[in-house]
Amino acid sequence: MPTEAVAAPPCTHPSHTNNSSSYGYVLVDALARRSGPSTSCGAYGYANNNAKIYFHCYVVGESIDGDPNWIWGRIEGTQQEGWFSMKYLNNRGVFINHC
């Protein structure tokens, strides 16, 4: 019997401009830099433990252990940008604008 397909979360977002000036640090050994706000979206790099991530804006995406917030950000000292799960970043109480 066929089953109904479940739509995959989008792996891109139409806008992710730098409209916040906050930052945080990676709390795990290697945090995936993803193409969209979900673990099903491709990882195209990693940020190391304690790497500084500049927060540009956030969206609600896949919930990771109860935290659905994802940051579009850039790794300090690089041009490497992408989606990072807020579950694995500190400074979670800072004000960040929605994308």
Side-chain angles (χ1 to χ4, degrees):
M1 171 180 270
T3 59
E4 186 175 328
V6 176
C11 287
T12 59
H13 193 272
S15 65
H16 38 67
T17 59
N18 185 358
N19 60 12
S20 297
S21 61
S22 301
Y23 62 89
Y25 293 92
V26 175
L27 299 173
V28 293
D29 288 339
L31 178 58
R33 181 171 55 94
R34 297 192 177 274
S35 61
S38 170
T39 58
S40 65
C41 298
Y44 50 99
Y46 294 88
N48 294 325
N49 186 5
N50 210 34
K52 187 175 189 177
I53 306 294
Y54 291 106
F55 301 158
H56 293 187
C57 59
Y58 84 96
V59 297
V60 174
E62 177 188 359
S63 182
I64 308 295
D65 292 333
D67 190 339
N69 298 307
W70 288 72
I71 292 293
W72 176 262
R74 180 179 61 81
I75 301 170
E76 180 185 45
T78 74
Q79 294 302 311
Q80 298 175 1
E81 296 181 323
W83 292 105
F84 299 92
S85 171
M86 274 298 282
K87 170 69 180 171
Y88 305 110
L89 295 164
N90 76 349
N91 286 355
R92 296 172 45 138
V94 298
F95 181 77
I96 305 163
N97 292 318
H98 194 269
C99 293

